[in-house]
Amino acid sequence: MSESETERGPEAEELTDRLVEVFDLVGPLYRRAQRKVEQDAPIEGLSVGVRAVLNMLREHGPMTVPQMGRAQALSRQFVQRMINDAAARHLVEFVPNPAHKRSSLIRLTEQGRAAITAVIDRERAVLGQLGGDLSDAEVAVCIRVLSRLLRFLDNVDVD
Amino acid sequence: MSESETERGPEAEELTDRLVEVFDLVGPLYRRAQRKVEQDAPIEGLSVGVRAVLNMLREHGPMTVPQMGRAQALSRQFVQRMINDAAARHLVEFVPNPAHKRSSLIRLTEQGRAAITAVIDRERAVLGQLGGDLSDAEVAVCIRVLSRLLRFLDNVDVD
DNA sequence: CCTTCATGACAACTAAGGTGTCATTATTGG
DNA sequence: CCAATAATGACACCTTAGTTGTCATGAAGG
């Protein structure tokens, strides 16, 4: 039916099909996860966007706004809004950036760390129920595949 | 640091951590993919929503609107809107449903099939470039993991 | 030193997707 | 067979994630 394949043999075509399948899973998964987060995060009063930036800071340490935008494929301006929002609520603070005088580093405050940790812990608790059925190795492979896809789509530049 | 783990030993905790990682990948991936689709689909004039329902019909065959909503974790009303939109442009048609007299089955028209096929083919072409680096088996595992996660989150009910 | 690029700030906008509600029609349990 | 209940479609409104455009400013680097 499809004729757009360049000649790479049947395995390659099979792979492409499977990748399309992955993307068809990502959509619903994203929406369901978002809803779960929405049910939970409001306890701390965190929007999805704020949750995302806090989580980034949590696992990556202090970063600048533009860095975060690039890392998450979000527009610089959007990240900025989230950060300003978080700052207004004392979840993050600005610290001087030795590398760029204009663009300060964003760092979690104690309060911010507590908030994001609480959220993540609750998510972990939910995920924990998933338990057995999935092996560590499988999930690791999944992460590898998704990371690869992500890097591949990186040429889509924002801003 | 986190104390919310029930006692399941270190491997379980490791697994949970990895699952959190998966979710942190799904977000950016979803956004980047959406942007790629947006660059492409407009050629056919398909919104992301319409693309999603057409693709569902394409691989699952005729379904009712509520079925599609459940399958993709989308609200019934949203799917309906997308379908009505698609119907107005003769991409889908309504056929009597033997099982439910009120809720007709939605079926792709020839035109609709052509449109969604063209879109998917273009996506496949892009994905095809990803090539080597990823094995069929790995992607299969990834699909399994994501499917499992999806089913797990299914208790989140819309509407 | 001057040009260029990056950042922050702010406003306007788009679109995805949900929610609430109503009328209608099935389905089902008695 | 009928009443109660649930499912569907339709429509309107709303929320919010996320983008884009623009401007002023200040940094970097030739």
Side-chain angles (χ1 to χ4, degrees), chain B residues 53-107:
Chain B
V53 295
L54 292 190
N55 190 44
M56 268 183 98
L57 294 174
R58 171 181 150 268
E59 41 186 47
H60 185 281
M63 327 172 54
T64 71
V65 166
Q67 277 171 3
M68 299 176 75
R70 281 186 290 270
Q72 293 283 312
L74 290 170
S75 76
R76 172 175 68 85
Q77 293 94 324
F78 177 70
V79 174
Q80 186 89 46
R81 258 189 342 238
M82 294 305 111
I83 288 295
N84 290 348
D85 195 34
R89 295 155 65 190
H90 309 103
L91 299 173
V92 300
E93 59 193 357
F94 303 89
V95 313
N97 183 357
H100 300 278
K101 283 201 189 87
R102 183 112 188 261
S103 185
S104 41
L105 288 170
I106 318 297
R107 185 172 58 189

Coordinates of all heavy atoms in Angstrom, one line a residue, chain B residues 53-107:
Chain B
V53 N -7.5 10.6 14.9 CA -8.7 9.7 14.7 C -8.6 9.0 13.4 O -8.9 7.8 13.3 CB -10.0 10.5 14.8 CG1 -10.2 11.1 16.2 CG2 -10.1 11.7 13.8
L54 N -8.1 9.7 12.4 CA -8.0 9.0 11.1 C -7.0 7.8 11.2 O -7.3 6.7 10.7 CB -7.5 9.9 10.0 CG -8.4 11.1 9.5 CD1 -7.9 11.8 8.3 CD2 -9.8 10.6 9.3
N55 N -5.9 8.1 11.9 CA -5.0 7.0 12.1 C -5.6 5.8 12.8 O -5.3 4.6 12.5 CB -3.7 7.5 12.8 CG -2.6 6.5 12.8 OD1 -2.3 5.9 11.7 ND2 -2.0 6.3 13.9
M56 N -6.4 6.1 13.8 CA -7.0 5.0 14.5 C -7.9 4.2 13.6 O -7.9 3.0 13.7 CB -7.9 5.6 15.6 CG -7.3 5.8 16.9 SD -8.5 6.4 18.1 CE -8.9 4.9 18.9
L57 N -8.7 4.9 12.8 CA -9.6 4.2 11.9 C -8.8 3.4 10.9 O -9.1 2.3 10.5 CB -10.5 5.2 11.1 CG -11.4 5.9 12.0 CD1 -12.2 7.0 11.2 CD2 -12.4 5.0 12.7
R58 N -7.6 3.9 10.5 CA -6.8 3.3 9.6 C -6.3 1.9 10.1 O -6.3 1.0 9.3 CB -5.6 4.2 9.2 CG -4.5 3.6 8.4 CD -3.4 4.6 8.2 NE -2.1 3.9 8.0 CZ -1.3 3.6 9.0 NH1 -1.6 4.0 10.3 NH2 -0.2 3.0 8.8
E59 N -5.9 1.9 11.3 CA -5.3 0.6 11.7 C -6.2 -0.3 12.5 O -6.0 -1.4 12.7 CB -4.0 0.8 12.5 CG -3.9 1.9 13.5 CD -2.5 2.1 14.1 OE1 -1.5 2.1 13.3 OE2 -2.4 2.2 15.3
H60 N -7.3 0.3 12.9 CA -8.3 -0.5 13.7 C -9.5 -0.9 12.9 O -10.3 -1.7 13.3 CB -8.6 0.2 15.0 CG -9.5 -0.6 15.9 ND1 -10.9 -0.7 15.7 CD2 -9.2 -1.3 17.0 CE1 -11.4 -1.5 16.7 NE2 -10.4 -1.9 17.5
G61 N -9.8 -0.2 11.8 CA -11.0 -0.3 11.1 C -12.1 0.5 11.7 O -11.8 1.3 12.6
P62 N -13.3 0.4 11.2 CA -14.4 1.3 11.6 C -14.7 1.1 13.1 O -14.6 0.0 13.7 CB -15.6 0.7 10.9 CG -15.0 0.2 9.6 CD -13.7 -0.4 10.0
M63 N -14.9 2.2 13.8 CA -15.2 2.2 15.2 C -16.3 3.3 15.5 O -16.4 4.2 14.7 CB -14.0 2.5 16.1 CG -12.7 2.0 15.6 SD -11.3 2.6 16.6 CE -11.7 2.1 18.2
T64 N -16.8 3.2 16.7 CA -17.7 4.3 17.1 C -16.9 5.4 17.8 O -15.8 5.2 18.2 CB -18.8 3.8 18.1 OG1 -18.1 3.5 19.3 CG2 -19.5 2.6 17.6
V65 N -17.5 6.6 17.9 CA -16.8 7.7 18.5 C -16.4 7.4 20.0 O -15.3 7.6 20.4 CB -17.7 9.0 18.5 CG1 -17.2 10.0 19.4 CG2 -17.8 9.5 17.0
P66 N -17.4 6.9 20.8 CA -17.0 6.6 22.2 C -15.8 5.6 22.3 O -15.0 5.8 23.2 CB -18.3 6.1 22.8 CG -19.3 6.7 22.0 CD -18.8 6.8 20.6
Q67 N -15.9 4.6 21.5 CA -14.8 3.6 21.4 C -13.4 4.3 21.2 O -12.4 4.1 21.9 CB -15.0 2.6 20.3 CG -15.9 1.5 20.7 CD -16.2 0.6 19.4 OE1 -15.7 0.9 18.3 NE2 -17.1 -0.4 19.6
M68 N -13.4 5.2 20.3 CA -12.2 5.9 19.9 C -11.7 6.8 21.1 O -10.5 6.8 21.4 CB -12.4 6.8 18.7 CG -12.7 6.0 17.5 SD -13.1 7.1 16.1 CE -11.4 7.5 15.6
G69 N -12.6 7.4 21.7 CA -12.3 8.2 22.9 C -11.6 7.4 24.0 O -10.6 7.8 24.5
R70 N -12.2 6.3 24.3 CA -11.6 5.4 25.3 C -10.3 4.9 24.9 O -9.3 4.9 25.7 CB -12.6 4.2 25.6 CG -13.8 4.6 26.5 CD -14.6 3.3 26.8 NE -15.3 2.8 25.7 CZ -16.6 3.2 25.4 NH1 -17.2 4.1 26.1 NH2 -17.2 2.6 24.4
A71 N -10.2 4.5 23.6 CA -8.9 4.0 23.2 C -7.7 4.9 23.3 O -6.6 4.6 23.5 CB -9.1 3.4 21.7
Q72 N -8.0 6.2 23.0 CA -7.0 7.2 23.0 C -7.0 8.1 24.2 O -6.2 9.1 24.2 CB -7.1 8.1 21.7 CG -6.8 7.3 20.5 CD -5.4 7.1 20.2 OE1 -4.5 7.9 20.3 NE2 -5.0 5.8 19.9
A73 N -7.7 7.8 25.2 CA -7.8 8.6 26.4 C -8.2 10.0 26.0 O -7.5 11.0 26.5 CB -6.5 8.6 27.1
L74 N -9.1 10.2 25.2 CA -9.6 11.5 24.8 C -11.1 11.5 25.2 O -11.8 10.5 25.2 CB -9.5 11.7 23.3 CG -8.0 11.8 22.8 CD1 -8.0 11.8 21.3 CD2 -7.4 13.1 23.3
S75 N -11.6 12.7 25.4 CA -13.0 12.9 25.8 C -13.8 12.6 24.6 O -13.5 12.9 23.4 CB -13.3 14.2 26.3 OG -13.4 15.2 25.3
R76 N -14.9 11.9 24.8 CA -15.9 11.6 23.8 C -16.2 12.8 22.9 O -16.3 12.8 21.7 CB -17.2 11.1 24.6 CG -18.4 10.9 23.9 CD -19.5 10.4 24.8 NE -19.9 11.3 25.9 CZ -20.9 12.2 25.7 NH1 -21.5 12.3 24.6 NH2 -21.2 13.0 26.7
Q77 N -16.4 14.0 23.6 CA -16.8 15.2 22.9 C -15.7 15.7 21.9 O -16.0 16.2 20.9 CB -17.2 16.3 23.9 CG -18.5 16.0 24.7 CD -18.2 15.4 26.0 OE1 -17.2 14.6 26.1 NE2 -18.9 15.7 27.0
F78 N -14.5 15.5 22.4 CA -13.4 16.0 21.6 C -13.3 15.1 20.3 O -13.2 15.6 19.2 CB -12.1 15.9 22.3 CG -10.9 16.3 21.5 CD1 -10.8 17.6 21.1 CD2 -10.0 15.4 21.1 CE1 -9.7 18.0 20.4 CE2 -8.9 15.8 20.4 CZ -8.7 17.1 20.0
V79 N -13.4 13.8 20.5 CA -13.3 12.9 19.4 C -14.5 13.2 18.4 O -14.3 13.3 17.2 CB -13.4 11.5 19.8 CG1 -13.5 10.5 18.6 CG2 -12.2 11.1 20.7
Q80 N -15.7 13.4 19.0 CA -16.8 13.7 18.1 C -16.5 15.0 17.3 O -16.8 15.0 16.1 CB -18.0 14.0 19.0 CG -19.3 14.2 18.3 CD -20.0 12.9 18.1 OE1 -20.2 12.2 19.0 NE2 -20.5 12.7 16.8
R81 N -16.0 16.0 17.9 CA -15.7 17.2 17.1 C -14.7 16.9 16.0 O -14.9 17.4 14.8 CB -15.1 18.2 18.0 CG -16.1 19.3 18.4 CD -15.5 20.5 19.1 NE -14.2 20.3 19.7 CZ -13.9 20.4 21.0 NH1 -14.9 20.7 21.9 NH2 -12.7 20.3 21.5
M82 N -13.7 16.1 16.3 CA -12.7 15.8 15.2 C -13.4 15.0 14.1 O -13.2 15.2 12.9 CB -11.6 14.9 15.8 CG -10.7 15.6 16.8 SD -10.0 17.2 16.2 CE -10.9 18.4 17.1
I83 N -14.3 14.1 14.5 CA -15.0 13.2 13.5 C -15.9 14.1 12.7 O -16.0 13.9 11.4 CB -15.7 12.1 14.2 CG1 -14.7 11.1 14.7 CG2 -16.7 11.4 13.2 CD1 -14.0 10.3 13.7
N84 N -16.6 14.9 13.3 CA -17.5 15.8 12.6 C -16.8 16.7 11.6 O -17.2 16.9 10.4 CB -18.3 16.7 13.5 CG -19.3 15.9 14.3 OD1 -19.6 14.8 14.0 ND2 -19.9 16.5 15.4
D85 N -15.6 17.1 12.0 CA -14.8 17.9 11.2 C -14.3 17.1 10.0 O -14.4 17.6 8.8 CB -13.6 18.4 12.0 CG -12.8 19.5 11.3 OD1 -13.4 20.3 10.7 OD2 -11.5 19.5 11.4
A86 N -13.9 15.9 10.3 CA -13.4 15.0 9.2 C -14.5 14.7 8.2 O -14.4 14.6 7.0 CB -12.8 13.8 9.8
A87 N -15.7 14.5 8.8 CA -16.9 14.1 8.0 C -17.2 15.3 7.0 O -17.6 15.1 5.9 CB -18.1 13.7 8.9
A88 N -17.2 16.5 7.6 CA -17.5 17.7 6.8 C -16.6 17.8 5.6 O -16.9 18.3 4.5 CB -17.4 18.9 7.6
R89 N -15.4 17.2 5.7 CA -14.5 17.2 4.6 C -14.4 15.9 3.9 O -13.4 15.6 3.2 CB -13.1 17.7 5.1 CG -13.2 19.1 5.7 CD -12.2 19.4 6.7 NE -10.9 19.3 6.1 CZ -9.7 19.3 6.8 NH1 -9.8 19.4 8.1 NH2 -8.6 19.2 6.2
H90 N -15.4 15.1 4.1 CA -15.5 13.8 3.4 C -14.3 12.9 3.6 O -13.9 12.2 2.7 CB -15.8 14.0 1.9 CG -16.9 15.0 1.7 ND1 -16.7 16.3 1.3 CD2 -18.2 14.8 1.8 CE1 -17.9 16.9 1.2 NE2 -18.8 16.1 1.5
L91 N -13.7 12.9 4.8 CA -12.6 12.0 5.0 C -13.1 10.8 5.7 O -12.4 9.7 5.7 CB -11.5 12.7 5.9 CG -10.9 14.0 5.3 CD1 -10.0 14.7 6.3 CD2 -10.1 13.6 4.0
V92 N -14.2 10.9 6.4 CA -14.9 9.7 7.0 C -16.3 9.7 6.7 O -16.9 10.8 6.3 CB -14.7 9.7 8.5 CG1 -13.2 9.7 8.9 CG2 -15.4 10.9 9.2
E93 N -17.0 8.6 6.8 CA -18.4 8.5 6.6 C -19.0 7.7 7.7 O -18.4 6.9 8.4 CB -18.7 7.9 5.3 CG -18.2 6.5 5.0 CD -18.2 6.1 3.6 OE1 -18.7 6.9 2.8 OE2 -17.7 5.0 3.3
F94 N -20.3 7.9 7.9 CA -21.0 7.1 9.0 C -21.7 5.9 8.4 O -22.5 6.1 7.4 CB -22.1 8.1 9.6 CG -21.4 9.3 10.2 CD1 -21.3 10.5 9.4 CD2 -21.0 9.4 11.5 CE1 -20.7 11.6 9.9 CE2 -20.4 10.5 12.0 CZ -20.3 11.6 11.2
V95 N -21.5 4.8 9.0 CA -22.2 3.6 8.5 C -23.0 3.0 9.6 O -22.6 3.1 10.8 CB -21.3 2.6 7.9 CG1 -20.3 3.2 6.9 CG2 -20.5 1.8 8.9
P96 N -24.2 2.5 9.4 CA -25.0 1.9 10.4 C -24.3 0.9 11.3 O -23.5 0.1 10.7 CB -26.2 1.2 9.7 CG -26.2 1.9 8.3 CD -24.8 2.3 8.0
N97 N -24.5 1.0 12.5 CA -23.8 0.0 13.5 C -24.8 -1.1 13.9 O -25.8 -0.8 14.6 CB -23.4 0.8 14.7 CG -22.6 0.0 15.7 OD1 -22.4 -1.2 15.4 ND2 -22.1 0.6 16.7
P98 N -24.5 -2.3 13.5 CA -25.4 -3.4 13.9 C -25.5 -3.5 15.4 O -26.6 -3.9 15.9 CB -24.7 -4.6 13.2 CG -23.3 -4.2 12.9 CD -23.4 -2.7 12.7
A99 N -24.5 -3.2 16.1 CA -24.5 -3.4 17.5 C -25.2 -2.3 18.3 O -25.8 -2.6 19.4 CB -23.1 -3.6 18.0
H100 N -25.1 -1.1 17.8 CA -25.8 0.0 18.5 C -26.4 0.9 17.5 O -25.8 1.6 16.7 CB -24.7 0.8 19.3 CG -24.0 0.1 20.3 ND1 -24.5 -0.2 21.6 CD2 -22.8 -0.5 20.3 CE1 -23.7 -0.9 22.3 NE2 -22.6 -1.2 21.5
K101 N -27.7 1.0 17.6 CA -28.5 1.7 16.5 C -28.2 3.2 16.6 O -28.2 3.9 15.6 CB -30.0 1.4 16.7 CG -30.4 0.1 16.2 CD -31.9 0.0 15.9 CE -32.3 -1.4 15.6 NZ -32.7 -2.1 16.9
R102 N -27.9 3.7 17.8 CA -27.8 5.1 17.9 C -26.4 5.6 17.4 O -26.2 6.6 16.8 CB -28.0 5.6 19.3 CG -27.9 7.1 19.5 CD -29.2 7.6 19.9 NE -29.2 9.0 19.9 CZ -29.1 9.8 21.1 NH1 -29.0 9.2 22.2 NH2 -29.1 11.1 21.0
S103 N -25.4 4.8 17.8 CA -24.0 5.2 17.6 C -23.4 4.5 16.4 O -23.0 3.4 16.4 CB -23.2 4.8 18.8 OG -21.9 5.2 18.8
S104 N -23.4 5.3 15.3 CA -22.9 4.6 14.0 C -21.4 4.4 14.0 O -20.7 5.1 14.8 CB -23.4 5.5 12.8 OG -23.2 6.8 13.1
L105 N -21.0 3.5 13.2 CA -19.6 3.3 13.0 C -19.0 4.4 12.1 O -19.7 4.8 11.2 CB -19.4 1.9 12.4 CG -19.6 0.7 13.3 CD1 -19.6 -0.6 12.5 CD2 -18.6 0.7 14.4
I106 N -17.8 4.7 12.4 CA -17.1 5.7 11.5 C -16.2 4.9 10.6 O -15.4 4.1 11.1 CB -16.4 6.7 12.4 CG1 -17.2 7.2 13.6 CG2 -15.9 7.9 11.5 CD1 -18.4 7.9 13.3
R107 N -16.2 5.3 9.4 CA -15.3 4.5 8.4 C -14.6 5.6 7.6 O -15.1 6.6 7.2 CB -16.2 3.6 7.6 CG -15.3 2.8 6.6 CD -16.2 1.7 5.9 NE -17.3 2.4 5.1 CZ -18.3 1.7 4.6 NH1 -18.3 0.4 4.7 NH2 -19.2 2.3 3.9

